[in-house]
Amino acid sequence: MWKYLDIHSMHRLEKTANTEDMMEVLAELLGLGCPERGLRDAITLDLFSHALLFCRQQSFSLEQTSAACALLQDLHQACVATPLGNVEECYRYFTSVLFCHGVRRPPFSINLFKEEQLLALADYVVNTYFRHFKLYKYVFTPQVRLDLSLRYVGLQSPQLSPEEETEKEGTKEVEDRAVTQQEEPETAVEPEQEPSQVAILRAYIKSQLNKELVQLQQLVEERLQASEERLSSKLTVLEQPFQPPPGKGKSKAK
């Protein structure tokens, strides 16, 4: 309560006549810039302006409205603290802090909201903020990219040629001259280094594949031979003539 919007700020918001005036005062109080300039500021302003309209529809007091905005602000900060997915952690945090404002257990909690107001506020946050949780995280957090590099055993790391080093260290004029004078050395040096490494890697991969193919072929041949043996044993059993038991034959003779 009174964490981000104090009593004077709430009185200023209460005096606004329409939604546009309320958004102007709210942008000033939250330290947001012009909505037309920054996308994040516009989204933040839209988030809290709709929250204030919801509090007015629910007839919240100034203390309850300030606490509701503080809960939403803390939830938003927890969401944008990391680009990784933490929707379950944020939901547990929101519910724990929310119910701390519905039960009177000083100094740990205070009964600021009634039960109906708690349920209405929880439904509003779930249907608005958590429904668009990934969108808020996409806008307010940096994008994570994975750079994967492979190192093969027995291969040397690629090194820059002397011509490339001089091109990086020299000025633009030296680079222009080096392009015209060193075209032939570059074409002569690069094919000697890169194709050799590619050939080694290709030979290594080919040898490994040949080994795997040989093992696979042996395994298939063993399974085929085992299946043939089982089939031949079943055929030999079926080809044998049927002989009745000796006891039944003697009884028929009598």
Side-chain angles (χ1 to χ4, degrees), residues 7 39-40 127 134 149 160 197 208 230 236 238 248:
I7 184 65
L39 179 62
R40 295 183 178 181
N127 292 327
K134 292 184 179 180
S149 60
L160 296 177
Q197 296 179 357
Q208 295 297 323
R230 288 195 300 268
T236 53
L238 293 175
K248 292 182 179 180

Side-chain angles (χ1 to χ4, degrees), residues 228-239:
E228 289 178 358
E229 292 177 356
R230 288 195 300 268
L231 182 60
S232 60
S233 62
K234 290 180 180 180
L235 291 175
T236 53
V237 172
L238 293 175
E239 289 176 354

